[in-house]
Amino acid sequence: MSAADRLVDSMQTLLWENGYSGTSPRAVQELADAGQGSMYHHFRSKAGLAVAAELKMSEELEIQISARLASGSSVREKIAAFLTLDENVLRGCRLGRLVQDAAVVSDDSLRQPIATMFVWIQEQIRQVLTDGVRNGELDPTLDVDAVAATILAVRQGAYVLARGAQSGEPFRAATAGLLQLLPERTRALG
């Protein structure tokens, strides 16, 4: 693994553990076993390295989310897969946690990859819902944009509830409640 890759991986780890403001360049360098010169050779700044880490996190999340939303045969099954409790629920969403950091939201270069990823996720959910409307599984008057935003908001909020309680139970309860609003089986097309 190259020094640049080790630096990005280390930044990913520390962003998730400590947030942007709580992560020092020195800590990243130590975890990556890379010197200051190496870090600044590959990245102009801490922010530049953080953006590279955010982009890599986004790529990894795209693979995971795409697989979850492609599983199952019904809208409900696909959304249930998206909402599945993961092993890191108490750590929260890797990207979602970062928008709680004032330094991230005040810097467009740090905020933009996260905003772009949330738009992408919402679009993937919207497509699942649109397919459900098209195949008769969901009500044709459903506002798919609003429901997609709600599904994403429930997942992000469920992470916050779980972290606050230090238990996966609030996450499970929030997602179970949302799933009760989706039909369990496909309606026959008439």
mmCIF file of all heavy atoms in Angstrom, residues 91-124:
data_model
loop_
_atom_site.group_PDB
_atom_site.id
_atom_site.type_symbol
_atom_site.label_atom_id
_atom_site.label_comp_id
_atom_site.label_asym_id
_atom_site.label_seq_id
_atom_site.Cartn_x
_atom_site.Cartn_y
_atom_site.Cartn_z
ATOM 1 N N ARG A 91 -21.321 3.596 16.169
ATOM 2 C CA ARG A 91 -20.340 4.571 15.691
ATOM 3 C C ARG A 91 -21.000 5.602 14.792
ATOM 4 O O ARG A 91 -20.453 6.659 14.551
ATOM 5 C CB ARG A 91 -19.216 3.859 14.933
ATOM 6 C CG ARG A 91 -18.355 2.997 15.863
ATOM 7 C CD ARG A 91 -17.276 2.297 15.118
ATOM 8 N NE ARG A 91 -16.217 3.236 14.794
ATOM 9 C CZ ARG A 91 -15.212 2.948 13.985
ATOM 10 N NH1 ARG A 91 -15.132 1.772 13.424
ATOM 11 N NH2 ARG A 91 -14.295 3.842 13.722
ATOM 12 N N GLY A 92 -22.174 5.271 14.265
ATOM 13 C CA GLY A 92 -22.894 6.193 13.394
ATOM 14 C C GLY A 92 -22.444 6.089 11.953
ATOM 15 O O GLY A 92 -21.557 5.325 11.606
ATOM 16 N N CYS A 93 -23.089 6.871 11.120
ATOM 17 C CA CYS A 93 -22.741 6.926 9.700
ATOM 18 C C CYS A 93 -21.396 7.625 9.545
ATOM 19 O O CYS A 93 -21.189 8.711 10.084
ATOM 20 C CB CYS A 93 -23.829 7.691 8.944
ATOM 21 S SG CYS A 93 -23.422 7.982 7.208
ATOM 22 N N ARG A 94 -20.510 7.030 8.781
ATOM 23 C CA ARG A 94 -19.171 7.594 8.597
ATOM 24 C C ARG A 94 -19.207 9.002 8.042
ATOM 25 O O ARG A 94 -18.429 9.856 8.458
ATOM 26 C CB ARG A 94 -18.330 6.704 7.682
ATOM 27 C CG ARG A 94 -18.058 5.356 8.279
ATOM 28 C CD ARG A 94 -17.142 4.551 7.418
ATOM 29 N NE ARG A 94 -17.887 3.961 6.303
ATOM 30 C CZ ARG A 94 -17.317 3.333 5.295
ATOM 31 N NH1 ARG A 94 -16.008 3.230 5.227
ATOM 32 N NH2 ARG A 94 -18.040 2.810 4.344
ATOM 33 N N LEU A 95 -20.101 9.251 7.112
ATOM 34 C CA LEU A 95 -20.193 10.593 6.532
ATOM 35 C C LEU A 95 -21.166 11.475 7.306
ATOM 36 O O LEU A 95 -20.914 12.658 7.502
ATOM 37 C CB LEU A 95 -20.600 10.517 5.064
ATOM 38 C CG LEU A 95 -19.537 9.977 4.122
ATOM 39 C CD1 LEU A 95 -20.113 9.790 2.727
ATOM 40 C CD2 LEU A 95 -18.335 10.892 4.071
ATOM 41 N N GLY A 96 -22.270 10.902 7.733
ATOM 42 C CA GLY A 96 -23.274 11.676 8.447
ATOM 43 C C GLY A 96 -22.738 12.311 9.724
ATOM 44 O O GLY A 96 -23.115 13.432 10.077
ATOM 45 N N ARG A 97 -21.853 11.612 10.397
ATOM 46 C CA ARG A 97 -21.268 12.163 11.625
ATOM 47 C C ARG A 97 -20.465 13.427 11.350
ATOM 48 O O ARG A 97 -20.382 14.317 12.191
ATOM 49 C CB ARG A 97 -20.368 11.133 12.291
ATOM 50 C CG ARG A 97 -21.136 10.062 13.028
ATOM 51 C CD ARG A 97 -20.247 9.153 13.797
ATOM 52 N NE ARG A 97 -19.450 9.885 14.772
ATOM 53 C CZ ARG A 97 -18.516 9.333 15.506
ATOM 54 N NH1 ARG A 97 -18.258 8.057 15.397
ATOM 55 N NH2 ARG A 97 -17.822 10.045 16.360
ATOM 56 N N LEU A 98 -19.884 13.509 10.185
ATOM 57 C CA LEU A 98 -19.017 14.649 9.879
ATOM 58 C C LEU A 98 -19.783 15.963 9.755
ATOM 59 O O LEU A 98 -19.225 17.029 10.010
ATOM 60 C CB LEU A 98 -18.217 14.385 8.609
ATOM 61 C CG LEU A 98 -17.177 13.271 8.721
ATOM 62 C CD1 LEU A 98 -16.532 13.017 7.368
ATOM 63 C CD2 LEU A 98 -16.136 13.593 9.776
ATOM 64 N N VAL A 99 -21.051 15.915 9.375
ATOM 65 C CA VAL A 99 -21.798 17.160 9.219
ATOM 66 C C VAL A 99 -22.200 17.763 10.564
ATOM 67 O O VAL A 99 -22.776 18.846 10.609
ATOM 68 C CB VAL A 99 -23.026 17.018 8.293
ATOM 69 C CG1 VAL A 99 -22.600 16.706 6.877
ATOM 70 C CG2 VAL A 99 -24.003 15.996 8.816
ATOM 71 N N GLN A 100 -21.870 17.090 11.635
ATOM 72 C CA GLN A 100 -22.082 17.646 12.966
ATOM 73 C C GLN A 100 -20.885 18.489 13.407
ATOM 74 O O GLN A 100 -20.912 19.103 14.465
ATOM 75 C CB GLN A 100 -22.353 16.529 13.968
ATOM 76 C CG GLN A 100 -23.619 15.755 13.635
ATOM 77 C CD GLN A 100 -23.805 14.553 14.516
ATOM 78 O OE1 GLN A 100 -23.344 14.505 15.641
ATOM 79 N NE2 GLN A 100 -24.513 13.565 14.006
ATOM 80 N N ASP A 101 -19.858 18.522 12.593
ATOM 81 C CA ASP A 101 -18.631 19.268 12.889
ATOM 82 C C ASP A 101 -18.704 20.624 12.194
ATOM 83 O O ASP A 101 -18.812 20.705 10.972
ATOM 84 C CB ASP A 101 -17.440 18.456 12.364
ATOM 85 C CG ASP A 101 -16.090 18.986 12.802
ATOM 86 O OD1 ASP A 101 -15.915 20.227 12.864
ATOM 87 O OD2 ASP A 101 -15.206 18.151 13.057
ATOM 88 N N ALA A 102 -18.657 21.685 12.979
ATOM 89 C CA ALA A 102 -18.776 23.046 12.435
ATOM 90 C C ALA A 102 -17.709 23.336 11.384
ATOM 91 O O ALA A 102 -17.971 24.045 10.408
ATOM 92 C CB ALA A 102 -18.704 24.069 13.565
ATOM 93 N N ALA A 103 -16.516 22.789 11.556
ATOM 94 C CA ALA A 103 -15.444 23.025 10.583
ATOM 95 C C ALA A 103 -15.774 22.396 9.233
ATOM 96 O O ALA A 103 -15.388 22.923 8.187
ATOM 97 C CB ALA A 103 -14.115 22.487 11.106
ATOM 98 N N VAL A 104 -16.503 21.310 9.237
ATOM 99 C CA VAL A 104 -16.878 20.641 7.988
ATOM 100 C C VAL A 104 -17.983 21.419 7.286
ATOM 101 O O VAL A 104 -17.897 21.694 6.088
ATOM 102 C CB VAL A 104 -17.306 19.175 8.243
ATOM 103 C CG1 VAL A 104 -17.887 18.543 6.985
ATOM 104 C CG2 VAL A 104 -16.127 18.361 8.754
ATOM 105 N N VAL A 105 -19.033 21.776 8.012
ATOM 106 C CA VAL A 105 -20.160 22.444 7.356
ATOM 107 C C VAL A 105 -19.824 23.864 6.923
ATOM 108 O O VAL A 105 -20.479 24.397 6.026
ATOM 109 C CB VAL A 105 -21.448 22.432 8.217
ATOM 110 C CG1 VAL A 105 -21.952 21.018 8.403
ATOM 111 C CG2 VAL A 105 -21.252 23.118 9.539
ATOM 112 N N SER A 106 -18.806 24.448 7.503
ATOM 113 C CA SER A 106 -18.430 25.807 7.102
ATOM 114 C C SER A 106 -17.422 25.833 5.954
ATOM 115 O O SER A 106 -17.091 26.898 5.436
ATOM 116 C CB SER A 106 -17.870 26.583 8.298
ATOM 117 O OG SER A 106 -16.645 26.008 8.730
ATOM 118 N N ASP A 107 -16.952 24.670 5.535
ATOM 119 C CA ASP A 107 -15.974 24.580 4.451
ATOM 120 C C ASP A 107 -16.615 23.818 3.286
ATOM 121 O O ASP A 107 -16.832 22.602 3.372
ATOM 122 C CB ASP A 107 -14.725 23.848 4.950
ATOM 123 C CG ASP A 107 -13.624 23.744 3.917
ATOM 124 O OD1 ASP A 107 -13.915 23.641 2.703
ATOM 125 O OD2 ASP A 107 -12.441 23.734 4.318
ATOM 126 N N ASP A 108 -16.912 24.525 2.208
ATOM 127 C CA ASP A 108 -17.596 23.901 1.066
ATOM 128 C C ASP A 108 -16.856 22.679 0.530
ATOM 129 O O ASP A 108 -17.488 21.706 0.126
ATOM 130 C CB ASP A 108 -17.790 24.910 -0.065
ATOM 131 C CG ASP A 108 -18.855 25.946 0.253
ATOM 132 O OD1 ASP A 108 -19.659 25.725 1.178
ATOM 133 O OD2 ASP A 108 -18.885 26.981 -0.439
ATOM 134 N N SER A 109 -15.527 22.710 0.529
ATOM 135 C CA SER A 109 -14.780 21.575 -0.021
ATOM 136 C C SER A 109 -14.947 20.324 0.843
ATOM 137 O O SER A 109 -14.944 19.207 0.320
ATOM 138 C CB SER A 109 -13.297 21.915 -0.179
ATOM 139 O OG SER A 109 -12.657 22.049 1.084
ATOM 140 N N LEU A 110 -15.112 20.494 2.151
ATOM 141 C CA LEU A 110 -15.318 19.355 3.046
ATOM 142 C C LEU A 110 -16.776 18.902 3.060
ATOM 143 O O LEU A 110 -17.064 17.718 3.203
ATOM 144 C CB LEU A 110 -14.900 19.719 4.473
ATOM 145 C CG LEU A 110 -13.407 19.926 4.708
ATOM 146 C CD1 LEU A 110 -13.161 20.532 6.080
ATOM 147 C CD2 LEU A 110 -12.656 18.609 4.553
ATOM 148 N N ARG A 111 -17.686 19.834 2.929
ATOM 149 C CA ARG A 111 -19.114 19.531 2.993
ATOM 150 C C ARG A 111 -19.631 18.927 1.691
ATOM 151 O O ARG A 111 -20.500 18.050 1.687
ATOM 152 C CB ARG A 111 -19.897 20.799 3.327
ATOM 153 C CG ARG A 111 -21.377 20.593 3.560
ATOM 154 C CD ARG A 111 -22.101 21.901 3.856
ATOM 155 N NE ARG A 111 -21.706 23.009 3.003
ATOM 156 C CZ ARG A 111 -22.089 23.165 1.743
ATOM 157 N NH1 ARG A 111 -22.887 22.285 1.178
ATOM 158 N NH2 ARG A 111 -21.679 24.194 1.035
ATOM 159 N N GLN A 112 -19.098 19.356 0.568
ATOM 160 C CA GLN A 112 -19.638 18.950 -0.737
ATOM 161 C C GLN A 112 -19.631 17.445 -0.989
ATOM 162 O O GLN A 112 -20.634 16.911 -1.470
ATOM 163 C CB GLN A 112 -18.909 19.690 -1.869
ATOM 164 C CG GLN A 112 -19.589 19.524 -3.217
ATOM 165 C CD GLN A 112 -21.040 19.982 -3.191
ATOM 166 O OE1 GLN A 112 -21.352 21.051 -2.707
ATOM 167 N NE2 GLN A 112 -21.941 19.149 -3.698
ATOM 168 N N PRO A 113 -18.559 16.714 -0.699
ATOM 169 C CA PRO A 113 -18.627 15.261 -0.940
ATOM 170 C C PRO A 113 -19.727 14.577 -0.126
ATOM 171 O O PRO A 113 -20.347 13.626 -0.603
ATOM 172 C CB PRO A 113 -17.246 14.757 -0.516
ATOM 173 C CG PRO A 113 -16.355 15.946 -0.633
ATOM 174 C CD PRO A 113 -17.216 17.129 -0.279
ATOM 175 N N ILE A 114 -19.987 15.079 1.060
ATOM 176 C CA ILE A 114 -21.027 14.497 1.904
ATOM 177 C C ILE A 114 -22.397 14.826 1.319
ATOM 178 O O ILE A 114 -23.250 13.949 1.185
ATOM 179 C CB ILE A 114 -20.898 15.012 3.345
ATOM 180 C CG1 ILE A 114 -19.532 14.633 3.910
ATOM 181 C CG2 ILE A 114 -22.028 14.465 4.225
ATOM 182 C CD1 ILE A 114 -19.147 15.356 5.183
ATOM 183 N N ALA A 115 -22.590 16.078 0.962
ATOM 184 C CA ALA A 115 -23.869 16.493 0.363
ATOM 185 C C ALA A 115 -24.128 15.717 -0.921
ATOM 186 O O ALA A 115 -25.252 15.252 -1.167
ATOM 187 C CB ALA A 115 -23.862 17.993 0.103
ATOM 188 N N THR A 116 -23.110 15.551 -1.734
ATOM 189 C CA THR A 116 -23.235 14.801 -2.983
ATOM 190 C C THR A 116 -23.628 13.351 -2.709
ATOM 191 O O THR A 116 -24.480 12.784 -3.400
ATOM 192 C CB THR A 116 -21.919 14.864 -3.784
ATOM 193 O OG1 THR A 116 -21.654 16.239 -4.102
ATOM 194 C CG2 THR A 116 -21.979 14.036 -5.056
ATOM 195 N N MET A 117 -23.034 12.756 -1.698
ATOM 196 C CA MET A 117 -23.349 11.375 -1.359
ATOM 197 C C MET A 117 -24.785 11.245 -0.877
ATOM 198 O O MET A 117 -25.493 10.312 -1.273
ATOM 199 C CB MET A 117 -22.377 10.849 -0.306
ATOM 200 C CG MET A 117 -22.548 9.383 -0.015
ATOM 201 S SD MET A 117 -22.253 8.378 -1.495
ATOM 202 C CE MET A 117 -22.724 6.784 -0.905
ATOM 203 N N PHE A 118 -25.249 12.177 -0.056
ATOM 204 C CA PHE A 118 -26.631 12.112 0.414
ATOM 205 C C PHE A 118 -27.614 12.260 -0.751
ATOM 206 O O PHE A 118 -28.639 11.582 -0.785
ATOM 207 C CB PHE A 118 -26.905 13.163 1.488
ATOM 208 C CG PHE A 118 -26.366 12.799 2.853
ATOM 209 C CD1 PHE A 118 -25.978 13.792 3.733
ATOM 210 C CD2 PHE A 118 -26.258 11.487 3.271
ATOM 211 C CE1 PHE A 118 -25.500 13.479 4.993
ATOM 212 C CE2 PHE A 118 -25.775 11.160 4.530
ATOM 213 C CZ PHE A 118 -25.392 12.157 5.391
ATOM 214 N N VAL A 119 -27.297 13.116 -1.705
ATOM 215 C CA VAL A 119 -28.145 13.249 -2.899
ATOM 216 C C VAL A 119 -28.157 11.930 -3.666
ATOM 217 O O VAL A 119 -29.203 11.465 -4.118
ATOM 218 C CB VAL A 119 -27.666 14.423 -3.791
ATOM 219 C CG1 VAL A 119 -28.320 14.371 -5.165
ATOM 220 C CG2 VAL A 119 -27.928 15.758 -3.105
ATOM 221 N N TRP A 120 -27.000 11.300 -3.797
ATOM 222 C CA TRP A 120 -26.904 10.028 -4.516
ATOM 223 C C TRP A 120 -27.738 8.951 -3.815
ATOM 224 O O TRP A 120 -28.495 8.217 -4.465
ATOM 225 C CB TRP A 120 -25.446 9.576 -4.632
ATOM 226 C CG TRP A 120 -25.310 8.282 -5.380
ATOM 227 C CD1 TRP A 120 -25.225 8.119 -6.729
ATOM 228 C CD2 TRP A 120 -25.303 6.962 -4.807
ATOM 229 N NE1 TRP A 120 -25.151 6.764 -7.030
ATOM 230 C CE2 TRP A 120 -25.191 6.048 -5.876
ATOM 231 C CE3 TRP A 120 -25.355 6.480 -3.508
ATOM 232 C CZ2 TRP A 120 -25.141 4.668 -5.674
ATOM 233 C CZ3 TRP A 120 -25.313 5.106 -3.301
ATOM 234 C CH2 TRP A 120 -25.207 4.216 -4.387
ATOM 235 N N ILE A 121 -27.609 8.859 -2.490
ATOM 236 C CA ILE A 121 -28.370 7.849 -1.739
ATOM 237 C C ILE A 121 -29.867 8.084 -1.927
ATOM 238 O O ILE A 121 -30.625 7.153 -2.204
ATOM 239 C CB ILE A 121 -28.010 7.878 -0.239
ATOM 240 C CG1 ILE A 121 -26.558 7.474 -0.018
ATOM 241 C CG2 ILE A 121 -28.951 6.951 0.547
ATOM 242 C CD1 ILE A 121 -26.055 7.734 1.398
ATOM 243 N N GLN A 122 -30.275 9.331 -1.773
ATOM 244 C CA GLN A 122 -31.693 9.646 -1.912
ATOM 245 C C GLN A 122 -32.192 9.294 -3.312
ATOM 246 O O GLN A 122 -33.305 8.787 -3.468
ATOM 247 C CB GLN A 122 -31.936 11.124 -1.600
ATOM 248 C CG GLN A 122 -33.390 11.466 -1.432
ATOM 249 C CD GLN A 122 -33.575 12.857 -0.855
ATOM 250 O OE1 GLN A 122 -32.795 13.318 -0.045
ATOM 251 N NE2 GLN A 122 -34.624 13.518 -1.298
ATOM 252 N N GLU A 123 -31.390 9.513 -4.322
ATOM 253 C CA GLU A 123 -31.772 9.174 -5.688
ATOM 254 C C GLU A 123 -31.921 7.658 -5.858
ATOM 255 O O GLU A 123 -32.822 7.187 -6.550
ATOM 256 C CB GLU A 123 -30.761 9.725 -6.688
ATOM 257 C CG GLU A 123 -31.014 9.335 -8.126
ATOM 258 C CD GLU A 123 -32.399 9.717 -8.655
ATOM 259 O OE1 GLU A 123 -33.009 10.695 -8.166
ATOM 260 O OE2 GLU A 123 -32.890 9.014 -9.563
ATOM 261 N N GLN A 124 -31.053 6.883 -5.223
ATOM 262 C CA GLN A 124 -31.151 5.431 -5.314
ATOM 263 C C GLN A 124 -32.442 4.940 -4.657
ATOM 264 O O GLN A 124 -33.132 4.070 -5.189
ATOM 265 C CB GLN A 124 -29.939 4.749 -4.666
ATOM 266 C CG GLN A 124 -28.594 5.153 -5.237
ATOM 267 C CD GLN A 124 -28.567 5.183 -6.747
ATOM 268 O OE1 GLN A 124 -28.752 4.161 -7.393
ATOM 269 N NE2 GLN A 124 -28.318 6.353 -7.318
#
